[in-house]
Amino acid sequence: MMAPTLFLTVGLPCTGKTTAARRMEAECRALRLTKDEWVKALYGPENPPAAQDVIEGRLIEIGLRALELGNNVVIDYGLWSRDERSALRQAAADLGATVQMRYFELTPAEQRRRIDERQAEAPHTTWPMSDEELAEWTASIDIPTPGELDGSEPIDDPPAGFASWNEWRTHRWPPSVSLRA
């Protein structure tokens, strides 16, 4: 029996992640976990920041359980930080799964065109995004290295203060919504 694969989609909004994730879902018989679909189903037009990390964490736990059961999984959300990707690469390795990471990028003009098109044609699937937000997000993404993308680069050690990637993962993606300010 082949080891299951964890597919990670990395990129900013409207760069093609979900389209590719749907293709991987079909072609690789993978469980697709798309955060925006869950946020929309639970909160409708709202996009509460306090719920984002919890929803991501719950989807990751579902995905890891599916890998443990031998199923391929697609995690379909930005994964902008290298630490997030390292934690998921380590979790997959701990379960004997392989990882395939896909990075999606577009020119800012094409990204803006796609965002505007999606907002006009399917507003129930997205939220408005300003040029200022896009610029902020573009500045904050850790673009994967070639070695990270092809899996040849070793997984980093967890950040200072964390004994393991599992410990960091449960800190990054808390199990419940916090009302902290």
Side-chain angles (χ1 to χ4, degrees):
M1 186 168 137
M2 289 182 46
T5 300
L6 175 63
F7 297 93
L8 302 176
T9 63
V10 180
L12 294 168
C14 286
T15 55
K17 295 181 309 295
T18 299
T19 299
R22 287 183 179 126
R23 191 171 37 256
M24 287 182 266
E25 173 185 39
E27 293 172 0
C28 303
R29 299 180 47 97
L31 172 64
R32 179 177 55 88
L33 300 169
T34 301
K35 179 184 72 171
D36 288 352
E37 291 174 357
W38 284 76
V39 173
K40 278 293 186 179
L42 293 169
Y43 295 99
E46 302 299 318
N47 191 5
Q52 296 294 318
D53 294 343
V54 174
I55 290 171
E56 287 181 11
R58 295 291 83 210
L59 294 177
I60 288 166
E61 292 307 313
I62 291 167
L64 294 178
R65 179 65 179 137
L67 286 174
E68 189 175 42
L69 294 171
N71 299 294
N72 295 329
V73 174
V74 181
I75 299 289
D76 175 27
Y77 35 93
L79 299 171
W80 297 350
S81 88
R82 183 178 173 102
D83 285 346
E84 291 171 331
R85 299 186 302 266
S86 293
L88 294 175
R89 288 174 63 203
Q90 185 63 60
D94 291 346
L95 294 171
T98 62
V99 174
Q100 288 188 27
M101 190 180 309
R102 311 270 170 89
Y103 175 58
F104 300 86
E105 66 178 326
L106 293 172
T107 65
E110 177 60 15
Q111 183 187 20
R112 176 85 261 164
R113 187 195 68 73
R114 287 184 180 191
I115 289 167
D116 293 344
E117 182 179 282
R118 183 188 295 173
Q119 190 66 46
E121 294 176 5
H124 62 283
T125 67
T126 191
W127 297 271
M129 294 175 233
S130 70
D131 289 339
E132 292 77 20
E133 287 173 314
L134 293 176
E136 181 183 321
W137 298 336
T138 299
S140 69
I141 189 170
D142 295 329
I143 296 172
T145 63
E148 190 182 7
L149 287 169
D150 70 18
S152 64
E153 201 171 286
I155 299 169
D156 299 331
D157 290 332
F162 296 95
S164 69
W165 277 114
N166 185 53
E167 182 183 331
W168 182 90
R169 196 175 75 241
T170 58
H171 172 79
R172 167 62 183 87
W173 291 293
S176 61
V177 174
S178 170
L179 299 177
R180 63 183 178 220

